[in-house]
Amino acid sequence: MATIERDQVRIRLAGRGSQGIMLGGTILAEAAVIDGLMVAEIQEFGPEARLGAAKADLIISKGQIAFPVVHQADFLLCLSRPAYVRYSTTLSMNGLMIAEETLREEMGDSFRVTYIPFRAAALELGKELYSNIIGLGALAALSNAVTKESLQNAVRARVETETLTENLAALDIGYELGYKQVPQQIGSRWANAAR
Amino acid sequence: MNPEPNKNNQKLVMGNEAVAMGAIAAGCDFFAGYPITPATEILEEMSKMLPPRGGVFLQMEDELSAIAAVIGAAWGGSISMTATSGPGFSLMQENLGYASITQTPCVVVDCQRGGPSTGLPKLASQGDVMQARFGSHGDRPTLVITASSVNDCYESTVFAFKMSQKHRMPVILLIDGVIGHIREPVELPPAPPPRKATFPKIDADSPRFGDAPFVPFGHGPVTVVTGLAHQSNGLAETQKGSHTEQMIRTTIENICRDPEIIDSWALKYQLDDADVAIVAYGITARSAREAADLLRADGIKAGLLDLKILWPFPNEILRELAGKVAAIIVPELNLGQMVLPLKAAVGGRVVVHSLNRADGTLLTPNDIAEFAAKQLNSIEERTHA
């Protein structure tokens, strides 16, 4: 069957309940909307309030999105071990997995995976809860799917005012960590895929 | 929920939220329901939006009472609705029949999930399309509308309310777990200010049923409302030759002749020169649209007929299509339901292939395109043999 090149990027955020995956997905989708892009976002979570599997799928596109569901992700953000195990096979051929640093030891290195210490960075900022926003920052830095300004505005629109300063700081940290990971020789590979 | 509009004035809205927003835009001022995955967000949104506008929100003890409250509210002069999913929709069937025979305008949203019974709560399905038509006993007029995007959810809801009042009947909006939960950017008009429903003045001896306008209690002379077969004045009439049959026939005819319904029956996509037509609805129509593009990229002239209204079934449109294409592919997230009226409509004039899946997994564009290509090849082999 033929394939059709579409100007779109498919993103999957995965982790466990309470890690802020749902909010992260909505913030990223909101950022794409502010950027004037088309987006389809769908979330999936278990019946548990905490610790169940959680994932948010997004397609961000310049044109109309016909089929709105992600089967293979160009960018896969993994914040937990079960998410890694379950979704690593859904990474597309040229896809990039962005995973929590603590998983490196067990999962091993691969050219398709970049490990970032989200948890450590979040704890340094005060709470492990910020790892979703740090993850979003790193994902945005690596994928270039949305602009930083829109992402900041989306965080402002969706995050409670008491924690806004910390969340915006988390976004900056995420961008920094993400940029550090862009290896010059393959950086262009993602840049084209994303925009 | 306070999404910021972007420079194109678009907001990120979930399908279920769009249904609630559409209901408010259509003037809905009464919601009764019972929470159920994946339809709960409709109820949640209505619980937030209705009370500040002077509307009534009721969380009932179950779906039986939810639909009963909706019918009661309509007869009390409200514009009313409920929302549920498969299991709740099954419970509502008896009173849906009551709403039909009493010609009560109301809207029922069924956000479909995998069945039967408790089934697959979180996952999408299109298993209720036949139940929406035949679920209640006896013959009745039905209008069943679908949606395949967030924008559709809004517009279809507004349309459902309009039609329920115009034809004074319960109208069913069928969406599914994916369409209900997907978030897409849409540009929606702001909610209009609350308004009171108005009803025409009638005399004590004017007819109350059949072609007569809907006048609820307290807005005109005393009306008798019964689930028994009745005359046009509402009084029970249970001997042979009941007038109810004629009233049902008239409503069915009125729906099928309504230009607004004829216009919104189905959307055609690249069908003009198509050799193969995919007929789909709801979320599957989204896959089918991309499948048509994939097939065209492979040199197969494919098009899509996106059914926006399932019941009454658009027989004429299908009959016309059958004369133009070599094959019709019907992908559905059930074990083959809408393919049955479709086959009856085309009457063997064209090959019809059914592609089914009911395990909660969506049919992808590739699934549909590959299936269509395979069927076409086998037709060619047979003709050349």
Side-chain angles (χ1 to χ4, degrees), chain B residues 53 89 120 174 179 308:
Chain B
R53 298 170 57 88
F89 193 54
L120 301 160
L174 277 186
I179 291 298
K308 294 294 180 194

Side-chain angles (χ1 to χ4, degrees), chain A residues 5 17 29 43 70 77 87 90 93 106 109 120 131 171 177:
Chain A
E5 283 297 321
Q43 305 179 339
V70 173
L77 180 71
Y87 298 121
T90 64
M93 285 279 275
E106 186 183 349
D109 281 311
S131 47
L171 199 60
L177 290 169

Side-chain angles (χ1 to χ4, degrees), chain A residues 1-4 6 26 29-30 33-37 39-43 45-46 65-69 71 157-158, chain B residues 1 3-4 6-7 10 12 122 178 182-185 286-287 290 293-294 297-298 362-366 369-370:
Chain A
M1 188 50 57
T3 51
I4 299 170
R6 294 200 190 273
T26 310
E30 184 95 48
V33 173
I34 298 172
D35 271 339
L37 298 164
V39 59
E41 189 225 350
I42 192 151
Q43 305 179 339
F45 45 87
I65 300 165
F67 186 57
V69 177
H71 277 276
R158 295 273 174 173
Chain B
M1 254 300 293
E4 292 291 311
N6 71 353
K7 48 196 173 220
Q10 288 177 321
L12 190 66
K122 290 186 302 173
V178 171
I182 204 157
R183 283 191 177 86
E184 289 179 316
R286 299 277 292 257
S287 315
E290 189 152 335
D293 289 345
L294 285 170
D298 252 11
L362 296 180
L363 286 166
T364 65
N366 261 324
E370 276 168 18

Side-chain angles (χ1 to χ4, degrees), chain B residues 230-241:
Chain B
H230 46 260
Q231 308 163 36
S232 63
N233 63 8
L235 295 178
E237 183 196 35
T238 54
Q239 70 277 33
K240 284 178 195 163

